[in-house]
Amino acid sequence: MTTLERWTRWPAGDVPVRDRLTPARRVLAVGGRSVLLVVVVVSTFGGGRFTGWRVLPPIGWLLGAVALGTAWYLAVRARRLWGVLAATAGLLLVAGLAAEGGAHTLASVIWCGLAVVSLVRLPLAAAVITGAAALASYGLMSGDPLVAVAGVTAGIGLFGYLLRLDTQARSAQRELLAQERAAHAARAESAALAERARIAREIHDVLAHSLSAQLVHLEAARLMIDGGADRGQIRERVVAARRMAQDGLIETRRALSALRGELTPLGEQLAELAELQRAELRIEGTVRPLPAEAQLAVRRTAQEALTNVRKHAPGSRATVVLVYRDDAVELEVDNTGDTRPPGGGDSALADSGSGYGLLGMRERAELLGGELLAGPDDAGGWRVRLTVPA
C-alpha cells in the first residue's frame, strides 16, 4: 500500500451490526448510547435553565444533532465523502449554537463524539481534518481551562486512534476467516470431485473387465445354440458368464469399501488372486499399510496380469512377487513358457476385453507418480512390473 493510499483509503468495508458486534459488545453499545442520551437530556433540560419558549432551541439542537448524525452515518456507509463533510459542517454548526445557547454538555458530546467516530470510520486524511476541526471547536468554545482542553483533546485523539486500530484488526480477522472458509470449501469440493473420479475409475475398471468377459461367454453360448451344440457345453458358458457377473459385483463392492478406508490387507488380496489363478506368491520387505489408491493399483495390476496369463498362456506357471521398499511398493508378475502374442491359449478368453487393460493400469500408475512396464522377459515368458510411491 502506498502512502497516498494509506491516507485516502477508506477503512475495511462495513458489515451489518449483527455480524460486527458480539452480543456483549451489542449490549454495551446500546447501553452506553442510552446512558449518554439520558445524560445529555438531563444536563440540557435539568436545572430549570430552559423554560417556556426558551426550551424550543435546545429541542431543535438535539433533533438537529440526531438528524445530522444519522445523515453522517448513512454517508459513511455509502462512502460519500462530500456528504460526510456536509454533515460534519452541520454538526459543528449545531454544536456551536448549543455552546452559545448554554447547552454545553450537548455541544461537548457532539465535538468529542465527532472526533472519535471520524478517526474510526473515515479515510485517514479526512479523519485527521474532521477530528482536528471538532477538537479545535471544543477548545475554542467550551470555556474549559487550557490544561483540561489539552488533556481532553489528547485523550480523545488517542482513544479514537486506538479504536481505529481495533476496528482494522477485527476487519482483517474477518477477512482472513472468510478466506479460510472459502479455501476450506474449495478443498472440500476438490476432494469430493476427486473421490467421485476415483469411484468412477474403479467401477469402470471392474465393469469393463467383467462385462467384456461375460459378453464373450454369452456370445459363445448363442453361437453354440445356433449350431446345435451339446446342452452341457452351452450351460457351461452361461454358468461362466453368471460367475463373472457375481465376481464383478464383488469387485465393485470391494473397490468402494477400499475407497472408504475399509481396506483388507494387500497380502490377503494377492493371496486370494494367486490361489484363484494357481500362481505362486512371494512377499518381501517389511509389510506396512498402504494408501487406498496405491493398494488398489497393485491389486488391479495383479488381477489384470494374471487374467492375461490365463487368457493367453493358460499352461504357463505364474509368479507374483510383492516387494515393500522404503518409499515405494513394487509388484512383479511373471509367467514362464509362453509369450504374447499368444499361441494356443483359450480363444474365447483371449478375445475378451478391450485390449486396454495394461494401458489403463499404466495410466493409473502414472497418476500416482509410479511406473508400469510390461514385455517379454529373458526366459521366454511375459513380465509385468509396477512401481508406485507408498
Side-chain angles (χ1 to χ4, degrees):
M1 183 185 299
T2 64
T3 302
L4 180 61
E5 291 176 340
R6 186 177 294 109
W7 282 90
T8 58
R9 182 173 177 268
W10 286 83
D14 201 11
V15 297
V17 174
R18 62 179 179 274
D19 297 331
R20 187 174 68 247
L21 299 178
T22 62
R25 284 177 175 268
R26 192 175 299 117
V27 170
L28 289 176
V30 174
R33 291 168 185 172
S34 300
V35 170
L36 181 61
L37 180 60
V38 170
V39 169
V40 170
V41 172
V42 171
S43 299
T44 302
F45 298 100
R49 286 179 298 172
F50 300 101
T51 58
W53 291 103
R54 295 185 59 194
V55 78
L56 294 180
I59 293 177
W61 302 329
L62 185 60
L63 294 178
V66 172
L68 289 170
T70 303
W72 190 92
Y73 174 76
L74 294 176
V76 169
R77 288 290 300 269
R79 295 193 173 185
R80 295 176 179 173
L81 187 58
W82 291 110
V84 172
L85 296 178
T88 299
L91 286 170
L92 292 177
L93 177 62
V94 170
L97 293 175
E100 288 293 333
H104 296 289
T105 301
L106 175 60
S108 298
V109 167
I110 294 175
W111 287 324
C112 296
L114 184 60
V116 170
V117 296
S118 296
L119 287 173
V120 174
R121 305 297 295 276
L122 297 182
L124 190 57
V128 170
I129 295 173
T130 303
L135 293 177
S137 299
Y138 165 74
L140 294 174
M141 303 185 66
S142 65
D144 294 339
L146 182 60
V147 175
V149 170
V152 170
T153 301
I156 290 296
L158 179 61
F159 180 65
Y161 183 68
L162 292 177
L163 282 180
R164 182 185 184 91
L165 293 180
D166 177 68
T167 301
Q168 290 177 343
R170 287 189 287 116
S171 297
Q173 185 179 13
R174 286 194 303 271
E175 183 177 357
L176 179 61
L177 180 60
Q179 292 176 352
E180 290 179 351
R181 288 174 177 172
H184 179 73
R187 286 194 298 268
E189 183 178 0
S190 177
L193 292 175
E195 181 71 8
R196 292 172 188 171
R198 287 195 297 268
I199 292 174
R201 186 168 60 246
E202 294 303 327
I203 293 177
H204 170 269
D205 290 346
V206 172
L207 294 182
H209 183 271
S210 63
L211 289 178
S212 60
Q214 293 173 50
L215 288 174
V216 169
H217 283 289
L218 292 175
E219 179 65 15
R222 185 187 68 81
L223 293 175
M224 288 178 180
I225 292 174
D226 294 341
D230 181 69
R231 181 175 179 180
Q233 294 178 339
I234 298 173
R235 184 179 183 279
E236 181 181 350
R237 291 292 185 176
V238 174
V239 170
R242 178 178 178 274
R243 183 176 63 252
M244 289 181 178
Q246 292 175 332
D247 292 342
L249 289 175
I250 293 173
E251 286 295 327
T252 301
R253 295 191 187 100
R254 182 175 293 165
L256 295 178
S257 297
L259 290 173
R260 295 188 185 105
E262 303 167 3
L263 295 173
T264 302
L266 180 58
E268 295 182 12
Q269 297 184 31
L270 294 183
E272 181 181 346
L273 287 174
E275 182 180 0
L276 182 64
Q277 303 292 344
R278 297 178 182 178
E280 178 187 353
L281 172 65
R282 296 202 311 269
I283 298 178
E284 302 175 1
T286 303
V287 178
R288 64 180 183 274
L290 300 178
E293 289 190 341
Q295 182 163 323
L296 283 171
V298 172
R299 175 182 169 78
R300 288 279 178 265
T301 302
Q303 184 180 35
E304 181 68 25
L306 291 174
T307 300
N308 285 340
V309 171
R310 183 162 61 93
K311 288 196 297 186
H312 302 302
S316 65
R317 180 169 51 89
T319 303
V320 180
V321 181
L322 178 66
V323 182
Y324 288 90
R325 305 195 183 280
D326 293 338
D327 57 353
V329 63
E330 182 178 295
L331 173 74
E332 185 174 295
V333 181
D334 290 294
N335 71 285
T336 58
D338 294 284
T339 61
R340 297 170 67 185
D346 188 332
S347 60
L349 285 174
D351 291 337
S352 67
S354 60
Y356 295 102
L358 288 177
L359 178 60
M361 294 302 101
R362 182 175 289 111
E363 292 175 352
R364 180 193 292 267
E366 292 174 353
L367 287 174
L368 297 176
E371 181 184 39
L372 185 139
L373 302 175
D377 59 14
D378 297 335
W382 189 267
R383 174 176 297 164
V384 176
R385 177 178 294 169
L386 170 70
T387 304
V388 290

